[in-house]
Amino acid sequence: MNAVEQTLKTQIVDYKPEHRQRFKEINVQWITRKYIMEEEDIKTVEDPETYILKDGGKIFIALYNNLVVGTCAYLNLGNGVYEMIKMAVDEDYRGLKIGKALGFETVESMKQLGAKKLILFSNTQGSVEAIKLYRKLGFTEVPLGNSEFQRADIKMELSFTA
C-alpha cells in the first residue's frame, strides 16, 4: 500500500459521543500494558465530555476504514495553553502510520484554533516511540515540574509563534 492509499484509509475527525466506548478501550489498552490506571486516567476515560470538552478542550479520533482506532485529546489549561493527553492507537493498528497522522493533524488543528503552546507529559522508558514522534512534531523537552501522573518522567512543549 502506498502513502496515498494509506491516507485515504485514515481520517482524523472530531470526537462524538458515540466514540466514547472506543476512546476508553484504546486508552485503557495502552495504559494497562505497562502502567496502572491512575485517578486522572479514570476520570478522563469515564467521562471525556466533562473532563476534557466542557472547559474548551478537544478530542480527535483516528478512523481507519471507518473504525475508531486512535485518539488524541487536548485539555484547555487557559491562556492559549493546551495539554496533549490520551494519544493512543489500538495495538492491532500500530505500524500503519496512524499515530503520525493523528499527531500532525491534531497539532495543526490546535494551532489553527489559536493555541499558543502545547505541553505533554510522557515516560521515557515505556513510550520511546511516542517520544520520537513528539520530537518530529516539534516538541522539545523542558523541566518536568509537577505532573498528576506518577508514570511521567518527561515534559515536552511546543510553542507557536506569530
Side-chain angles (χ1 to χ4, degrees), residues 71-154:
T71 72
C72 187
Y74 292 86
L75 283 176
N76 183 354
L77 303 180
N79 298 317
V81 179
Y82 292 82
E83 180 180 352
M84 178 194 278
I85 63 169
K86 304 301 177 256
M87 183 173 181
V89 173
D90 184 305
E91 59 191 34
D92 291 338
Y93 293 88
R94 293 193 183 148
L96 299 173
K97 307 272 186 229
I98 294 167
K100 182 178 179 182
L102 191 56
F104 278 97
E105 288 192 40
T106 65
V107 164
E108 185 58 32
S109 291
M110 295 307 294
K111 182 179 178 182
Q112 296 303 317
L113 288 171
K116 295 177 185 165
K117 180 166 56 172
L118 304 177
I119 66 165
L120 64 85
F121 293 90
S122 193
N123 182 282
T124 56
Q125 302 304 307
S127 300
V128 173
E129 292 304 312
I131 291 172
K132 288 180 188 175
L133 175 58
Y134 302 147
R135 291 188 195 288
K136 287 179 186 175
L137 294 172
F139 283 86
T140 57
E141 187 173 349
V142 295
L144 181 61
N146 295 326
S147 167
E148 64 265 11
F149 295 103
Q150 293 177 4
R151 66 181 172 264
D153 68 358
I154 186 173

